[in-house]
Amino acid sequence: MIRSADIREWRNHDVVDLKQRKIGMLEAIYVDTATDQPAMATVRTGLLSRQRLVFVPLDEAVLGPGYVKVPYAKGQVRQAPSIGTDDVLPAEQEEAIFRHYDMTYQPGANGERQLARR
């Protein structure tokens, strides 16, 4: 399991898929609000003038020398729901991220968000 303290050190490192193809740069970590464990990362993709942040799960991520490898294809990650580089994830968009990766979305008992940026 990747701990929050470990993954923060990887900010601005490459994020690659299983075939070592670069997807983008690790921007931020989102933790599961129920466990406070890393759940998703945002990856900065696109051209310098048109960058965006896409979401990718960290459940089976592997840390390597200068990169974070995720078990998702580059194309799938790039098609994931995204936000602008200066934007905040809207609560109503969380479920779409989980659906994109065929994951179960479980907000809190009182409708609290499942993800929080760290």
Side-chain angles (χ1 to χ4, degrees), residues 30-34 39-40 55 57 59 81 89-116:
Y30 284 76
V31 297
D32 184 313
T33 57
M40 297 271 178
F55 288 82
D59 53 346
L89 175 64
E92 59 274 2
Q93 194 174 7
E94 278 189 358
E95 188 173 0
I97 295 166
F98 285 80
R99 272 197 321 261
H100 179 77
Y101 292 103
D102 293 322
M103 298 171 68
T104 302
Y105 179 66
Q106 298 176 344
N110 296 317
E112 298 92 354
R113 297 178 73 144
Q114 185 171 347
L115 298 174

PDB file of all heavy atoms in Angstrom, residues 30-34 39-40 55 57 59 81 89-116:
ATOM      1  N   TYR A  30      -5.566  12.694  -3.856  1.00  0.00           N
ATOM      2  CA  TYR A  30      -6.868  12.735  -3.206  1.00  0.00           C
ATOM      3  C   TYR A  30      -6.979  11.482  -2.350  1.00  0.00           C
ATOM      4  O   TYR A  30      -6.705  10.381  -2.823  1.00  0.00           O
ATOM      5  CB  TYR A  30      -8.000  12.766  -4.237  1.00  0.00           C
ATOM      6  CG  TYR A  30      -8.178  14.122  -4.880  1.00  0.00           C
ATOM      7  CD1 TYR A  30      -7.292  14.572  -5.848  1.00  0.00           C
ATOM      8  CD2 TYR A  30      -9.239  14.942  -4.520  1.00  0.00           C
ATOM      9  CE1 TYR A  30      -7.452  15.819  -6.435  1.00  0.00           C
ATOM     10  CE2 TYR A  30      -9.408  16.189  -5.112  1.00  0.00           C
ATOM     11  CZ  TYR A  30      -8.508  16.615  -6.065  1.00  0.00           C
ATOM     12  OH  TYR A  30      -8.671  17.851  -6.638  1.00  0.00           O
ATOM     13  N   VAL A  31      -7.366  11.664  -1.095  1.00  0.00           N
ATOM     14  CA  VAL A  31      -7.512  10.527  -0.188  1.00  0.00           C
ATOM     15  C   VAL A  31      -8.978  10.167  -0.044  1.00  0.00           C
ATOM     16  O   VAL A  31      -9.869  10.998  -0.260  1.00  0.00           O
ATOM     17  CB  VAL A  31      -6.895  10.823   1.204  1.00  0.00           C
ATOM     18  CG1 VAL A  31      -5.403  11.059   1.092  1.00  0.00           C
ATOM     19  CG2 VAL A  31      -7.594  11.985   1.888  1.00  0.00           C
ATOM     20  N   ASP A  32      -9.215   8.924   0.335  1.00  0.00           N
ATOM     21  CA  ASP A  32     -10.554   8.457   0.656  1.00  0.00           C
ATOM     22  C   ASP A  32     -10.898   9.059   2.022  1.00  0.00           C
ATOM     23  O   ASP A  32     -10.156   8.872   2.987  1.00  0.00           O
ATOM     24  CB  ASP A  32     -10.562   6.935   0.719  1.00  0.00           C
ATOM     25  CG  ASP A  32     -11.935   6.351   0.946  1.00  0.00           C
ATOM     26  OD1 ASP A  32     -12.656   6.840   1.848  1.00  0.00           O
ATOM     27  OD2 ASP A  32     -12.297   5.408   0.238  1.00  0.00           O
ATOM     28  N   THR A  33     -11.988   9.792   2.115  1.00  0.00           N
ATOM     29  CA  THR A  33     -12.329  10.476   3.364  1.00  0.00           C
ATOM     30  C   THR A  33     -12.658   9.509   4.501  1.00  0.00           C
ATOM     31  O   THR A  33     -12.550   9.879   5.667  1.00  0.00           O
ATOM     32  CB  THR A  33     -13.506  11.452   3.155  1.00  0.00           C
ATOM     33  OG1 THR A  33     -14.624  10.736   2.626  1.00  0.00           O
ATOM     34  CG2 THR A  33     -13.117  12.582   2.226  1.00  0.00           C
ATOM     35  N   ALA A  34     -13.029   8.283   4.187  1.00  0.00           N
ATOM     36  CA  ALA A  34     -13.347   7.302   5.231  1.00  0.00           C
ATOM     37  C   ALA A  34     -12.091   6.709   5.853  1.00  0.00           C
ATOM     38  O   ALA A  34     -12.071   6.383   7.045  1.00  0.00           O
ATOM     39  CB  ALA A  34     -14.221   6.190   4.670  1.00  0.00           C
ATOM     40  N   ALA A  39      -6.272   7.569  -2.615  1.00  0.00           N
ATOM     41  CA  ALA A  39      -7.240   6.875  -3.457  1.00  0.00           C
ATOM     42  C   ALA A  39      -7.084   7.252  -4.921  1.00  0.00           C
ATOM     43  O   ALA A  39      -7.165   6.394  -5.795  1.00  0.00           O
ATOM     44  CB  ALA A  39      -8.659   7.188  -2.998  1.00  0.00           C
ATOM     45  N   MET A  40      -6.860   8.517  -5.204  1.00  0.00           N
ATOM     46  CA  MET A  40      -6.752   9.009  -6.580  1.00  0.00           C
ATOM     47  C   MET A  40      -5.615  10.016  -6.666  1.00  0.00           C
ATOM     48  O   MET A  40      -5.242  10.638  -5.669  1.00  0.00           O
ATOM     49  CB  MET A  40      -8.032   9.736  -7.021  1.00  0.00           C
ATOM     50  CG  MET A  40      -9.265   8.911  -7.055  1.00  0.00           C
ATOM     51  SD  MET A  40      -9.462   8.137  -8.669  1.00  0.00           S
ATOM     52  CE  MET A  40     -10.961   7.206  -8.359  1.00  0.00           C
ATOM     53  N   PHE A  55      -7.990  12.321 -13.552  1.00  0.00           N
ATOM     54  CA  PHE A  55      -7.946  11.516 -12.329  1.00  0.00           C
ATOM     55  C   PHE A  55      -7.601  10.075 -12.652  1.00  0.00           C
ATOM     56  O   PHE A  55      -8.066   9.520 -13.654  1.00  0.00           O
ATOM     57  CB  PHE A  55      -9.302  11.573 -11.620  1.00  0.00           C
ATOM     58  CG  PHE A  55      -9.556  12.903 -10.982  1.00  0.00           C
ATOM     59  CD1 PHE A  55     -10.032  13.962 -11.733  1.00  0.00           C
ATOM     60  CD2 PHE A  55      -9.293  13.104  -9.637  1.00  0.00           C
ATOM     61  CE1 PHE A  55     -10.249  15.198 -11.151  1.00  0.00           C
ATOM     62  CE2 PHE A  55      -9.512  14.335  -9.051  1.00  0.00           C
ATOM     63  CZ  PHE A  55      -9.996  15.390  -9.811  1.00  0.00           C
ATOM     64  N   PRO A  57      -6.944   6.220 -10.351  1.00  0.00           N
ATOM     65  CA  PRO A  57      -6.871   5.537  -9.052  1.00  0.00           C
ATOM     66  C   PRO A  57      -5.447   5.119  -8.710  1.00  0.00           C
ATOM     67  O   PRO A  57      -4.641   4.804  -9.590  1.00  0.00           O
ATOM     68  CB  PRO A  57      -7.747   4.302  -9.248  1.00  0.00           C
ATOM     69  CG  PRO A  57      -8.619   4.617 -10.411  1.00  0.00           C
ATOM     70  CD  PRO A  57      -7.799   5.509 -11.299  1.00  0.00           C
ATOM     71  N   ASP A  59      -4.955   2.587  -6.378  1.00  0.00           N
ATOM     72  CA  ASP A  59      -5.093   1.327  -5.647  1.00  0.00           C
ATOM     73  C   ASP A  59      -3.990   0.319  -5.940  1.00  0.00           C
ATOM     74  O   ASP A  59      -3.585  -0.418  -5.062  1.00  0.00           O
ATOM     75  CB  ASP A  59      -6.468   0.706  -5.861  1.00  0.00           C
ATOM     76  CG  ASP A  59      -6.834   0.536  -7.329  1.00  0.00           C
ATOM     77  OD1 ASP A  59      -6.169   1.130  -8.198  1.00  0.00           O
ATOM     78  OD2 ASP A  59      -7.794  -0.182  -7.608  1.00  0.00           O
ATOM     79  N   PRO A  81     -12.594  11.716 -16.460  1.00  0.00           N
ATOM     80  CA  PRO A  81     -13.065  13.054 -16.126  1.00  0.00           C
ATOM     81  C   PRO A  81     -11.899  13.927 -15.671  1.00  0.00           C
ATOM     82  O   PRO A  81     -10.951  13.445 -15.047  1.00  0.00           O
ATOM     83  CB  PRO A  81     -14.048  12.800 -14.973  1.00  0.00           C
ATOM     84  CG  PRO A  81     -14.550  11.415 -15.238  1.00  0.00           C
ATOM     85  CD  PRO A  81     -13.349  10.678 -15.771  1.00  0.00           C
ATOM     86  N   LEU A  89     -12.270  19.965  -7.665  1.00  0.00           N
ATOM     87  CA  LEU A  89     -13.182  18.899  -8.065  1.00  0.00           C
ATOM     88  C   LEU A  89     -14.575  19.156  -7.495  1.00  0.00           C
ATOM     89  O   LEU A  89     -14.757  19.166  -6.274  1.00  0.00           O
ATOM     90  CB  LEU A  89     -12.666  17.546  -7.573  1.00  0.00           C
ATOM     91  CG  LEU A  89     -13.576  16.341  -7.806  1.00  0.00           C
ATOM     92  CD1 LEU A  89     -13.757  16.092  -9.302  1.00  0.00           C
ATOM     93  CD2 LEU A  89     -13.001  15.113  -7.113  1.00  0.00           C
ATOM     94  N   PRO A  90     -15.580  19.369  -8.371  1.00  0.00           N
ATOM     95  CA  PRO A  90     -16.949  19.542  -7.867  1.00  0.00           C
ATOM     96  C   PRO A  90     -17.470  18.225  -7.284  1.00  0.00           C
ATOM     97  O   PRO A  90     -17.195  17.153  -7.819  1.00  0.00           O
ATOM     98  CB  PRO A  90     -17.747  19.920  -9.122  1.00  0.00           C
ATOM     99  CG  PRO A  90     -16.744  20.281 -10.160  1.00  0.00           C
ATOM    100  CD  PRO A  90     -15.498  19.536  -9.814  1.00  0.00           C
ATOM    101  N   ALA A  91     -18.202  18.300  -6.196  1.00  0.00           N
ATOM    102  CA  ALA A  91     -18.733  17.104  -5.533  1.00  0.00           C
ATOM    103  C   ALA A  91     -19.546  16.253  -6.491  1.00  0.00           C
ATOM    104  O   ALA A  91     -19.455  15.019  -6.475  1.00  0.00           O
ATOM    105  CB  ALA A  91     -19.577  17.504  -4.322  1.00  0.00           C
ATOM    106  N   GLU A  92     -20.327  16.891  -7.359  1.00  0.00           N
ATOM    107  CA  GLU A  92     -21.184  16.128  -8.274  1.00  0.00           C
ATOM    108  C   GLU A  92     -20.405  15.397  -9.365  1.00  0.00           C
ATOM    109  O   GLU A  92     -20.951  14.569 -10.075  1.00  0.00           O
ATOM    110  CB  GLU A  92     -22.261  17.030  -8.902  1.00  0.00           C
ATOM    111  CG  GLU A  92     -21.733  18.193  -9.694  1.00  0.00           C
ATOM    112  CD  GLU A  92     -21.434  19.441  -8.857  1.00  0.00           C
ATOM    113  OE1 GLU A  92     -21.593  19.425  -7.630  1.00  0.00           O
ATOM    114  OE2 GLU A  92     -21.006  20.436  -9.465  1.00  0.00           O
ATOM    115  N   GLN A  93     -19.109  15.659  -9.504  1.00  0.00           N
ATOM    116  CA  GLN A  93     -18.306  14.989 -10.526  1.00  0.00           C
ATOM    117  C   GLN A  93     -17.574  13.760  -9.979  1.00  0.00           C
ATOM    118  O   GLN A  93     -17.061  12.948 -10.743  1.00  0.00           O
ATOM    119  CB  GLN A  93     -17.295  15.971 -11.124  1.00  0.00           C
ATOM    120  CG  GLN A  93     -16.670  15.464 -12.401  1.00  0.00           C
ATOM    121  CD  GLN A  93     -15.775  16.510 -13.051  1.00  0.00           C
ATOM    122  OE1 GLN A  93     -15.517  17.573 -12.508  1.00  0.00           O
ATOM    123  NE2 GLN A  93     -15.284  16.187 -14.222  1.00  0.00           N
ATOM    124  N   GLU A  94     -17.544  13.596  -8.663  1.00  0.00           N
ATOM    125  CA  GLU A  94     -16.823  12.461  -8.069  1.00  0.00           C
ATOM    126  C   GLU A  94     -17.305  11.115  -8.601  1.00  0.00           C
ATOM    127  O   GLU A  94     -16.500  10.269  -8.967  1.00  0.00           O
ATOM    128  CB  GLU A  94     -16.978  12.468  -6.546  1.00  0.00           C
ATOM    129  CG  GLU A  94     -16.059  13.384  -5.839  1.00  0.00           C
ATOM    130  CD  GLU A  94     -16.095  13.196  -4.336  1.00  0.00           C
ATOM    131  OE1 GLU A  94     -16.873  12.365  -3.821  1.00  0.00           O
ATOM    132  OE2 GLU A  94     -15.336  13.896  -3.660  1.00  0.00           O
ATOM    133  N   GLU A  95     -18.602  10.914  -8.621  1.00  0.00           N
ATOM    134  CA  GLU A  95     -19.140   9.616  -9.033  1.00  0.00           C
ATOM    135  C   GLU A  95     -18.721   9.257 -10.454  1.00  0.00           C
ATOM    136  O   GLU A  95     -18.425   8.098 -10.755  1.00  0.00           O
ATOM    137  CB  GLU A  95     -20.657   9.600  -8.907  1.00  0.00           C
ATOM    138  CG  GLU A  95     -21.240   8.215  -9.149  1.00  0.00           C
ATOM    139  CD  GLU A  95     -22.728   8.142  -8.865  1.00  0.00           C
ATOM    140  OE1 GLU A  95     -23.333   9.150  -8.479  1.00  0.00           O
ATOM    141  OE2 GLU A  95     -23.278   7.036  -9.026  1.00  0.00           O
ATOM    142  N   ALA A  96     -18.652  10.233 -11.354  1.00  0.00           N
ATOM    143  CA  ALA A  96     -18.259   9.980 -12.747  1.00  0.00           C
ATOM    144  C   ALA A  96     -16.832   9.439 -12.834  1.00  0.00           C
ATOM    145  O   ALA A  96     -16.531   8.595 -13.676  1.00  0.00           O
ATOM    146  CB  ALA A  96     -18.397  11.256 -13.577  1.00  0.00           C
ATOM    147  N   ILE A  97     -15.970   9.887 -11.968  1.00  0.00           N
ATOM    148  CA  ILE A  97     -14.585   9.401 -11.950  1.00  0.00           C
ATOM    149  C   ILE A  97     -14.572   7.917 -11.593  1.00  0.00           C
ATOM    150  O   ILE A  97     -13.922   7.110 -12.256  1.00  0.00           O
ATOM    151  CB  ILE A  97     -13.733  10.211 -10.956  1.00  0.00           C
ATOM    152  CG1 ILE A  97     -13.630  11.669 -11.421  1.00  0.00           C
ATOM    153  CG2 ILE A  97     -12.353   9.581 -10.794  1.00  0.00           C
ATOM    154  CD1 ILE A  97     -13.100  12.611 -10.366  1.00  0.00           C
ATOM    155  N   PHE A  98     -15.300   7.551 -10.568  1.00  0.00           N
ATOM    156  CA  PHE A  98     -15.353   6.148 -10.151  1.00  0.00           C
ATOM    157  C   PHE A  98     -15.979   5.277 -11.239  1.00  0.00           C
ATOM    158  O   PHE A  98     -15.503   4.180 -11.513  1.00  0.00           O
ATOM    159  CB  PHE A  98     -16.112   6.015  -8.822  1.00  0.00           C
ATOM    160  CG  PHE A  98     -15.305   6.463  -7.635  1.00  0.00           C
ATOM    161  CD1 PHE A  98     -15.192   7.810  -7.326  1.00  0.00           C
ATOM    162  CD2 PHE A  98     -14.651   5.542  -6.847  1.00  0.00           C
ATOM    163  CE1 PHE A  98     -14.436   8.221  -6.236  1.00  0.00           C
ATOM    164  CE2 PHE A  98     -13.892   5.937  -5.756  1.00  0.00           C
ATOM    165  CZ  PHE A  98     -13.783   7.291  -5.449  1.00  0.00           C
ATOM    166  N   ARG A  99     -17.042   5.760 -11.857  1.00  0.00           N
ATOM    167  CA  ARG A  99     -17.695   5.001 -12.940  1.00  0.00           C
ATOM    168  C   ARG A  99     -16.733   4.786 -14.106  1.00  0.00           C
ATOM    169  O   ARG A  99     -16.727   3.720 -14.714  1.00  0.00           O
ATOM    170  CB  ARG A  99     -18.933   5.746 -13.438  1.00  0.00           C
ATOM    171  CG  ARG A  99     -20.183   5.420 -12.681  1.00  0.00           C
ATOM    172  CD  ARG A  99     -21.450   5.830 -13.434  1.00  0.00           C
ATOM    173  NE  ARG A  99     -21.324   7.097 -14.134  1.00  0.00           N
ATOM    174  CZ  ARG A  99     -21.770   8.268 -13.687  1.00  0.00           C
ATOM    175  NH1 ARG A  99     -22.382   8.344 -12.537  1.00  0.00           N
ATOM    176  NH2 ARG A  99     -21.608   9.364 -14.388  1.00  0.00           N
ATOM    177  N   HIS A 100     -15.926   5.798 -14.434  1.00  0.00           N
ATOM    178  CA  HIS A 100     -14.990   5.685 -15.548  1.00  0.00           C
ATOM    179  C   HIS A 100     -14.046   4.492 -15.369  1.00  0.00           C
ATOM    180  O   HIS A 100     -13.661   3.842 -16.330  1.00  0.00           O
ATOM    181  CB  HIS A 100     -14.184   6.984 -15.697  1.00  0.00           C
ATOM    182  CG  HIS A 100     -13.190   6.944 -16.805  1.00  0.00           C
ATOM    183  ND1 HIS A 100     -13.560   7.079 -18.128  1.00  0.00           N
ATOM    184  CD2 HIS A 100     -11.850   6.755 -16.804  1.00  0.00           C
ATOM    185  CE1 HIS A 100     -12.484   6.993 -18.883  1.00  0.00           C
ATOM    186  NE2 HIS A 100     -11.431   6.797 -18.106  1.00  0.00           N
ATOM    187  N   TYR A 101     -13.681   4.215 -14.141  1.00  0.00           N
ATOM    188  CA  TYR A 101     -12.763   3.105 -13.844  1.00  0.00           C
ATOM    189  C   TYR A 101     -13.502   1.867 -13.321  1.00  0.00           C
ATOM    190  O   TYR A 101     -12.877   0.956 -12.772  1.00  0.00           O
ATOM    191  CB  TYR A 101     -11.710   3.550 -12.832  1.00  0.00           C
ATOM    192  CG  TYR A 101     -10.757   4.567 -13.406  1.00  0.00           C
ATOM    193  CD1 TYR A 101     -10.873   5.915 -13.104  1.00  0.00           C
ATOM    194  CD2 TYR A 101      -9.747   4.190 -14.279  1.00  0.00           C
ATOM    195  CE1 TYR A 101     -10.005   6.863 -13.633  1.00  0.00           C
ATOM    196  CE2 TYR A 101      -8.872   5.114 -14.816  1.00  0.00           C
ATOM    197  CZ  TYR A 101      -9.009   6.448 -14.491  1.00  0.00           C
ATOM    198  OH  TYR A 101      -8.146   7.382 -15.028  1.00  0.00           O
ATOM    199  N   ASP A 102     -14.814   1.802 -13.492  1.00  0.00           N
ATOM    200  CA  ASP A 102     -15.633   0.672 -13.027  1.00  0.00           C
ATOM    201  C   ASP A 102     -15.422   0.389 -11.543  1.00  0.00           C
ATOM    202  O   ASP A 102     -15.306  -0.761 -11.118  1.00  0.00           O
ATOM    203  CB  ASP A 102     -15.356  -0.589 -13.849  1.00  0.00           C
ATOM    204  CG  ASP A 102     -15.807  -0.449 -15.286  1.00  0.00           C
ATOM    205  OD1 ASP A 102     -16.867   0.170 -15.522  1.00  0.00           O
ATOM    206  OD2 ASP A 102     -15.095  -0.942 -16.179  1.00  0.00           O
ATOM    207  N   MET A 103     -15.384   1.455 -10.759  1.00  0.00           N
ATOM    208  CA  MET A 103     -15.215   1.335  -9.317  1.00  0.00           C
ATOM    209  C   MET A 103     -16.512   1.753  -8.632  1.00  0.00           C
ATOM    210  O   MET A 103     -17.267   2.553  -9.165  1.00  0.00           O
ATOM    211  CB  MET A 103     -14.062   2.233  -8.845  1.00  0.00           C
ATOM    212  CG  MET A 103     -12.713   1.858  -9.433  1.00  0.00           C
ATOM    213  SD  MET A 103     -11.445   3.085  -9.064  1.00  0.00           S
ATOM    214  CE  MET A 103     -11.275   2.874  -7.298  1.00  0.00           C
ATOM    215  N   THR A 104     -16.728   1.231  -7.431  1.00  0.00           N
ATOM    216  CA  THR A 104     -17.910   1.574  -6.649  1.00  0.00           C
ATOM    217  C   THR A 104     -17.707   2.919  -5.978  1.00  0.00           C
ATOM    218  O   THR A 104     -16.668   3.158  -5.351  1.00  0.00           O
ATOM    219  CB  THR A 104     -18.167   0.500  -5.579  1.00  0.00           C
ATOM    220  OG1 THR A 104     -18.316  -0.759  -6.223  1.00  0.00           O
ATOM    221  CG2 THR A 104     -19.416   0.823  -4.773  1.00  0.00           C
ATOM    222  N   TYR A 105     -18.688   3.784  -6.115  1.00  0.00           N
ATOM    223  CA  TYR A 105     -18.654   5.097  -5.461  1.00  0.00           C
ATOM    224  C   TYR A 105     -19.452   5.015  -4.174  1.00  0.00           C
ATOM    225  O   TYR A 105     -20.611   4.598  -4.183  1.00  0.00           O
ATOM    226  CB  TYR A 105     -19.252   6.163  -6.381  1.00  0.00           C
ATOM    227  CG  TYR A 105     -19.282   7.531  -5.765  1.00  0.00           C
ATOM    228  CD1 TYR A 105     -18.105   8.216  -5.472  1.00  0.00           C
ATOM    229  CD2 TYR A 105     -20.488   8.142  -5.457  1.00  0.00           C
ATOM    230  CE1 TYR A 105     -18.129   9.468  -4.898  1.00  0.00           C
ATOM    231  CE2 TYR A 105     -20.522   9.405  -4.881  1.00  0.00           C
ATOM    232  CZ  TYR A 105     -19.341  10.062  -4.606  1.00  0.00           C
ATOM    233  OH  TYR A 105     -19.360  11.311  -4.045  1.00  0.00           O
ATOM    234  N   GLN A 106     -18.847   5.399  -3.046  1.00  0.00           N
ATOM    235  CA  GLN A 106     -19.508   5.302  -1.752  1.00  0.00           C
ATOM    236  C   GLN A 106     -19.355   6.604  -0.971  1.00  0.00           C
ATOM    237  O   GLN A 106     -18.404   6.759  -0.205  1.00  0.00           O
ATOM    238  CB  GLN A 106     -18.919   4.154  -0.942  1.00  0.00           C
ATOM    239  CG  GLN A 106     -19.116   2.812  -1.590  1.00  0.00           C
ATOM    240  CD  GLN A 106     -18.428   1.699  -0.821  1.00  0.00           C
ATOM    241  OE1 GLN A 106     -17.582   1.939   0.015  1.00  0.00           O
ATOM    242  NE2 GLN A 106     -18.799   0.478  -1.104  1.00  0.00           N
ATOM    243  N   PRO A 107     -20.294   7.547  -1.168  1.00  0.00           N
ATOM    244  CA  PRO A 107     -20.226   8.764  -0.358  1.00  0.00           C
ATOM    245  C   PRO A 107     -20.544   8.433   1.093  1.00  0.00           C
ATOM    246  O   PRO A 107     -21.034   7.344   1.400  1.00  0.00           O
ATOM    247  CB  PRO A 107     -21.303   9.654  -0.974  1.00  0.00           C
ATOM    248  CG  PRO A 107     -22.247   8.720  -1.633  1.00  0.00           C
ATOM    249  CD  PRO A 107     -21.440   7.525  -2.058  1.00  0.00           C
ATOM    250  N   GLY A 108     -20.267   9.369   1.990  1.00  0.00           N
ATOM    251  CA  GLY A 108     -20.535   9.154   3.410  1.00  0.00           C
ATOM    252  C   GLY A 108     -22.019   8.988   3.692  1.00  0.00           C
ATOM    253  O   GLY A 108     -22.874   9.260   2.843  1.00  0.00           O
ATOM    254  N   ALA A 109     -22.333   8.560   4.890  1.00  0.00           N
ATOM    255  CA  ALA A 109     -23.723   8.298   5.294  1.00  0.00           C
ATOM    256  C   ALA A 109     -24.605   9.529   5.140  1.00  0.00           C
ATOM    257  O   ALA A 109     -25.793   9.417   4.857  1.00  0.00           O
ATOM    258  CB  ALA A 109     -23.754   7.802   6.733  1.00  0.00           C
ATOM    259  N   ASN A 110     -24.050  10.696   5.341  1.00  0.00           N
ATOM    260  CA  ASN A 110     -24.807  11.943   5.221  1.00  0.00           C
ATOM    261  C   ASN A 110     -24.506  12.665   3.909  1.00  0.00           C
ATOM    262  O   ASN A 110     -24.669  13.874   3.811  1.00  0.00           O
ATOM    263  CB  ASN A 110     -24.512  12.852   6.415  1.00  0.00           C
ATOM    264  CG  ASN A 110     -24.978  12.244   7.710  1.00  0.00           C
ATOM    265  OD1 ASN A 110     -26.060  11.688   7.784  1.00  0.00           O
ATOM    266  ND2 ASN A 110     -24.149  12.335   8.748  1.00  0.00           N
ATOM    267  N   GLY A 111     -24.013  11.917   2.918  1.00  0.00           N
ATOM    268  CA  GLY A 111     -23.721  12.495   1.612  1.00  0.00           C
ATOM    269  C   GLY A 111     -22.374  13.160   1.513  1.00  0.00           C
ATOM    270  O   GLY A 111     -22.091  13.885   0.549  1.00  0.00           O
ATOM    271  N   GLU A 112     -21.487  12.936   2.495  1.00  0.00           N
ATOM    272  CA  GLU A 112     -20.162  13.537   2.447  1.00  0.00           C
ATOM    273  C   GLU A 112     -19.384  13.027   1.242  1.00  0.00           C
ATOM    274  O   GLU A 112     -19.604  11.921   0.759  1.00  0.00           O
ATOM    275  CB  GLU A 112     -19.350  13.206   3.719  1.00  0.00           C
ATOM    276  CG  GLU A 112     -19.931  13.722   4.998  1.00  0.00           C
ATOM    277  CD  GLU A 112     -20.843  12.705   5.667  1.00  0.00           C
ATOM    278  OE1 GLU A 112     -21.115  11.636   5.091  1.00  0.00           O
ATOM    279  OE2 GLU A 112     -21.284  12.993   6.770  1.00  0.00           O
ATOM    280  N   ARG A 113     -18.454  13.819   0.797  1.00  0.00           N
ATOM    281  CA  ARG A 113     -17.626  13.458  -0.345  1.00  0.00           C
ATOM    282  C   ARG A 113     -16.764  12.243   0.000  1.00  0.00           C
ATOM    283  O   ARG A 113     -16.392  12.034   1.137  1.00  0.00           O
ATOM    284  CB  ARG A 113     -16.719  14.626  -0.716  1.00  0.00           C
ATOM    285  CG  ARG A 113     -17.501  15.852  -1.146  1.00  0.00           C
ATOM    286  CD  ARG A 113     -16.568  16.960  -1.441  1.00  0.00           C
ATOM    287  NE  ARG A 113     -15.907  16.657  -2.710  1.00  0.00           N
ATOM    288  CZ  ARG A 113     -15.585  17.561  -3.604  1.00  0.00           C
ATOM    289  NH1 ARG A 113     -15.838  18.827  -3.382  1.00  0.00           N
ATOM    290  NH2 ARG A 113     -14.994  17.228  -4.713  1.00  0.00           N
ATOM    291  N   GLN A 114     -16.427  11.480  -1.038  1.00  0.00           N
ATOM    292  CA  GLN A 114     -15.538  10.330  -0.823  1.00  0.00           C
ATOM    293  C   GLN A 114     -14.076  10.742  -0.979  1.00  0.00           C
ATOM    294  O   GLN A 114     -13.205  10.101  -0.443  1.00  0.00           O
ATOM    295  CB  GLN A 114     -15.873   9.204  -1.797  1.00  0.00           C
ATOM    296  CG  GLN A 114     -15.043   7.958  -1.512  1.00  0.00           C
ATOM    297  CD  GLN A 114     -15.479   6.746  -2.304  1.00  0.00           C
ATOM    298  OE1 GLN A 114     -16.539   6.718  -2.909  1.00  0.00           O
ATOM    299  NE2 GLN A 114     -14.637   5.738  -2.309  1.00  0.00           N
ATOM    300  N   LEU A 115     -13.810  11.818  -1.726  1.00  0.00           N
ATOM    301  CA  LEU A 115     -12.443  12.225  -2.001  1.00  0.00           C
ATOM    302  C   LEU A 115     -12.138  13.597  -1.395  1.00  0.00           C
ATOM    303  O   LEU A 115     -12.983  14.495  -1.410  1.00  0.00           O
ATOM    304  CB  LEU A 115     -12.190  12.297  -3.513  1.00  0.00           C
ATOM    305  CG  LEU A 115     -12.328  11.006  -4.277  1.00  0.00           C
ATOM    306  CD1 LEU A 115     -12.186  11.275  -5.774  1.00  0.00           C
ATOM    307  CD2 LEU A 115     -11.303   9.976  -3.830  1.00  0.00           C
ATOM    308  N   ALA A 116     -10.913  13.736  -0.879  1.00  0.00           N
ATOM    309  CA  ALA A 116     -10.439  15.016  -0.368  1.00  0.00           C
ATOM    310  C   ALA A 116      -9.002  15.206  -0.819  1.00  0.00           C
ATOM    311  O   ALA A 116      -8.194  14.277  -0.751  1.00  0.00           O
ATOM    312  CB  ALA A 116     -10.516  15.053   1.149  1.00  0.00           C
TER     313      ALA A 116
END
